[in-house]
Amino acid sequence: GGLSAWRDSMPTDREVRVLILEDVPEEAELCQRELHRAGLKFVAHRVDTRDAFERALREFRPDLVLSDFSMPTFDGLTALGLTRTHSADLPFIFVSGTIGEDRAAEAMRSGATVYVLKDRPKRLVPAVARALKEARDRRAHRRVEEEIRSQESRLRLAVDNALDAFVTIDQTGVILEWSREAE
């Protein structure tokens, strides 16, 4: 379930850093209570202005953003755009009171991981677990791709700098590829 997925997605060396964009402190506390109730180790930082949000992205360096959709001085879609500019992989979850289907679809198209309605707080932990696991999986996938590119580059360099010619010939004897020394 949600809790085991959450534990699998947790960094092993530290608490999860949760940035909460919420103008009502009690609403942020509700999110934190749900995460605590699930036995999760995290540290939270609540902000409610654009300046504080941008500063927290840089200085607090969150693993996850929980954001209200609509606030008096700042909105969640702008926060989502700032988050995506900062990091394409940072999980971003809308936790909102009312969000119509059109706005929810817009949020997802803009890169939100998921949205949870405030009147359904039990859905927060599974959503957070899934978001953190997906982010971890994307980072792992990117590391594997980078390693493959690096290995291919080293192999190409070795082949290109070999003293003897390396020639690839198909079944009919046609030369498909050769190292530079063979040219």
Side-chain angles (χ1 to χ4, degrees):
L3 189 54
S4 64
W6 169 274
R7 287 188 181 125
D8 292 344
S9 66
M10 296 258 308
T12 58
D13 59 338
R14 62 179 173 77
E15 297 172 316
V16 173
R17 301 174 69 77
V18 181
L19 176 57
I20 302 174
L21 176 60
E22 173 62 66
D23 60 321
V24 180
E26 296 79 14
E27 297 289 342
E29 289 169 14
L30 177 65
C31 291
Q32 291 178 60
R33 267 197 310 274
E34 284 302 313
L35 298 179
H36 277 299
R37 198 173 291 145
L40 309 173
K41 287 197 265 182
F42 69 95
V43 58
H45 180 67
R46 185 185 71 84
V47 297
D48 60 1
T49 66
R50 180 182 178 134
D51 288 342
F53 183 78
E54 289 180 294
R55 187 170 43 258
L57 285 175
R58 289 188 314 272
E59 297 172 8
F60 180 65
R61 296 186 331 270
D63 298 305
L64 169 73
V65 175
L66 301 179
S67 175
D68 195 354
F69 192 83
S70 176
M71 293 164 286
T73 62
F74 190 39
D75 70 278
L77 284 177
T78 301
L80 175 58
L82 293 168
T83 301
R84 289 294 159 252
T85 299
H86 174 78
S87 169
D89 288 332
L90 183 57
F92 191 101
I93 297 176
F94 279 111
V95 182
S96 188
T98 56
I99 181 171
E101 280 186 41
D102 291 342
R103 295 170 95 189
E106 179 183 3
M108 300 306 283
R109 280 192 306 271
S110 298
T113 307
V114 69
Y115 68 91
V116 176
L117 294 174
K118 287 180 181 177
D119 65 355
R120 297 187 181 154
K122 298 286 184 218
R123 294 186 179 180
L124 182 61
V125 170
V128 166
R130 191 185 100 222
L132 290 174
K133 181 182 182 321
E134 288 173 358
R136 185 195 66 214
D137 291 350
R138 280 191 305 273
R139 286 189 303 271
H141 183 77
R142 193 169 34 260
R143 280 192 300 274
V144 168
E145 287 178 337
E146 288 169 2
E147 180 60 29
I148 289 169
R149 280 193 295 277
S150 175
Q151 289 176 1
E152 287 174 344
S153 177
R154 286 193 302 270
L155 179 59
R156 175 64 53 204
L157 185 61
V159 169
D160 288 347
N161 291 319
L163 296 176
D164 296 330
F166 283 90
V167 180
T168 304
I169 301 172
D170 73 5
Q171 296 167 335
T172 63
V174 175
I175 296 174
L176 301 174
E177 185 178 0
W178 59 87
S179 64
R180 290 188 184 148
E181 287 70 27
E183 292 178 357

